Amino acid sequence: MARPRKPLLSRDRIVEAAGALVDAEGLEAVSTRRLAAALGVSGPSLYNHFRTKDEILDAVADAVSARVDLSMFEAGAGRDWREALHDWAHSYRAALADHPNIVPVLARGPGRRPAGLRLADAVFGAMTAAGWPPAQATRIGALMRYFILGSAVGSFARGFPDDEAAYDPADYPHLGRAHLLAERQREVDEGAFETGLAALLDGLALQYEALRRDRPTGPAAGSAP
């Protein structure tokens, strides 16, 4: 009886295996040796699909970006720019929350990654279509990425030891209940995200209204001086 054929090695299989390794052990765990062993192939065979380890990590990062919903930016979605940013921020954070170890790669920027570039294109296009000047639309995209990626890097609440003795009132008079933060991690971290997102969008809304007030209107607005 013939032996069952091994599944053919493909980019998708390599990315899936690398992503699982990043999720379980972090970026440092990824190596061609570990990936080849996980896939049941020889190390050099990986180079038929990726030239370097960094290319593999880029592909893993792009696979996470591809999970972010961008439909709210489509013309027929019926959302204004603020609603679209709000819904996109939640989708982006949810994708990163499932794969926090890949965030440092995503933080480098989209580079040449197709899904990352589609994400940047969608945000910029929606902001300029809403009337934001291109320079400000670029800043808004950057601002939102800083905030969302930062929220996914780690948990504020889990950063405090669950040990009341760690917070001597003589040294930390305002941290008497900090030992309770870890057990309320989801409430604290999600609440912080919601508070920050609302503050960002409220501030942008004020800028947007000022922009509309200052913008010339009427037939002469676009005429040459």
Side-chain angles (χ1 to χ4, degrees), residues 25 128 133 167 193 197:
E25 301 182 40
T128 53
Y167 309 100
F193 180 79
L197 182 59

Side-chain angles (χ1 to χ4, degrees), residues 37-52:
L39 292 163
V41 299
S42 64
S45 62
L46 299 177
Y47 295 113
N48 293 326
H49 301 276
F50 294 97
R51 293 176 298 177
T52 65

